[in-house]
């Protein structure tokens, strides 16, 4: 499941971010309509907001979330 920065403002995405196992999550960086603030274009740098929100929801550190997402990416796409 790919989580966009819209998780910051969407209760439905926040529920998903808490329910989906962390080993099944990636972050979304190219969803222009799913930015942190409604009406503002999303940019890849906003992935930091997604990581922060996932860490908050799952009560783990931002570093743990970032590491888990990196591992998930490698498991799916291999090392680049």
């Amino acid at each position: 499941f790919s989580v966009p920065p819209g998780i910051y403002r969407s209760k439905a995405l926040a529920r998903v971010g808490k329910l989906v196992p962390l080993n099944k999550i990636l972050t979304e960086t190219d969803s222009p309509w799913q930015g942190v603030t409604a009406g503002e274009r999303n940019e890849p740098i906003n992935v930091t907001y997604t990581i922060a929100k996932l860490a908050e929801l799952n009560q783990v550190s931002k570093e743990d979330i970032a590491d888990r997402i990196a591992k998930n990416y490698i498991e799916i796409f291999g090392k680049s």
Side-chain angles (χ1 to χ4, degrees):
F1 185 80
S2 185
V3 181
I7 191 174
Y8 229 78
R9 59 185 167 86
S10 168
K11 290 180 182 180
L13 282 174
R15 282 192 301 272
V16 170
K18 191 171 181 176
L19 293 174
V20 173
L22 294 178
N23 67 340
K24 303 292 182 194
I25 287 183
L26 294 174
T27 50
E28 182 70 49
T29 59
D30 62 351
S31 54
W33 61 91
Q34 284 289 331
V36 177
T37 304
E40 288 186 14
R41 181 178 170 83
N42 184 37
E43 299 294 336
I45 191 69
N46 290 337
V47 73
T48 57
Y49 290 101
T50 306
I51 290 170
K53 188 64 172 182
L54 286 169
E56 174 191 324
L57 292 169
N58 290 281
Q59 299 179 339
V60 297
S61 72
K62 291 184 280 189
E63 292 78 15
D64 287 344
I65 292 290
D67 289 346
R68 182 68 253 180
I69 290 169
K71 288 176 186 174
N72 294 347
Y73 177 89
I74 291 169
E75 288 175 14
I76 293 170
F77 300 108
K79 288 191 174 192
S80 55

